[in-house]
Amino acid sequence: MTTLKSQITEVLKATMRAKEMDKLTVIRSLQAAIKQIEVDERKELDDAQTLAVIEKQIKQRKESIKAFEGAGRDDLASKEQAEIDVLSQFLPEAMTEEELDSIIEQTITAQEATSMKDMGKVMNSLRPLIAGRADPALVSSKIKAKLA
């Protein structure tokens, strides 16, 4: 079974051969971020932890897009969006709206959540299920709507 890190390395090699410099820079920065965490924590990252790094990189770029658009720098915003597209190829397939609603409903029932006090409990048990497949902010707002 191939790991997420080995997939990233394979894509990096293919990108180097194709001489796609913009894409290459993004993948190298992702590998550097992964390597940095491995060195800091003195351990090898598994797929779930690697996925968390990718999600963090995407989140940072989304925040940059907001800032650039606010400053009227659409050129930089579109560059960041292109980087998100490169990083997104390493994420698992996104959940459909129906899948997401269903899994939230099941989790609320399983956790016996009845009010906003249970929000954290529901979110924590959903986190591993939605990792890389759904936007946590969207999931959070859906849970709020159901518990309110």
Side-chain angles (χ1 to χ4, degrees), residues 76-126:
L76 293 175
S78 63
K79 180 182 173 289
E80 294 286 321
Q81 184 57 54
E83 291 182 6
I84 288 174
D85 296 340
V86 171
L87 292 170
S88 295
Q89 74 184 353
F90 300 112
L91 295 177
E93 194 174 316
M95 283 185 167
T96 64
E97 202 73 28
E98 294 79 35
E99 283 179 303
L100 193 54
D101 289 336
S102 165
I103 203 165
I104 289 171
E105 200 63 53
Q106 290 169 2
T107 306
I108 288 174
T109 307
Q111 294 289 331
E112 298 174 359
T114 53
S115 69
M116 287 303 289
K117 285 192 307 210
D118 303 319
M119 172 89 185
K121 201 166 55 168
V122 173
M123 197 65 194
N124 285 337
S125 55
L126 273 173

Side-chain angles (χ1 to χ4, degrees), residues 13-48:
K13 289 176 188 173
T15 307
M16 286 169 123
R17 282 188 216 105
K19 294 180 174 51
E20 299 175 68
M21 291 308 162
D22 293 341
K23 192 174 177 184
L24 187 62
T25 306
V26 177
I27 297 171
R28 278 193 174 139
S29 76
L30 172 61
Q31 276 196 319
I34 292 168
K35 187 58 111 184
Q36 182 67 51
I37 292 170
E38 288 182 336
V39 169
D40 290 348
E41 297 181 8
R42 291 183 177 86
K43 69 175 184 182
E44 185 96 2
L45 296 185
D46 62 19
D47 279 358

Side-chain angles (χ1 to χ4, degrees), residues 51-76:
L51 193 59
V53 174
I54 295 169
E55 287 178 320
K56 185 176 179 191
Q57 295 274 315
I58 289 173
K59 184 178 181 208
Q60 288 172 342
R61 284 169 174 80
K62 283 181 178 174
E63 289 167 359
S64 296
I65 287 173
K66 281 184 190 156
F68 289 141
E69 285 174 343
R73 294 296 309 266
D74 293 336
D75 54 327
L76 293 175

Side-chain angles (χ1 to χ4, degrees), residues 6-18:
S6 62
Q7 283 177 338
I8 293 169
T9 304
E10 288 308 310
V11 172
L12 177 78
K13 289 176 188 173
T15 307
M16 286 169 123
R17 282 188 216 105

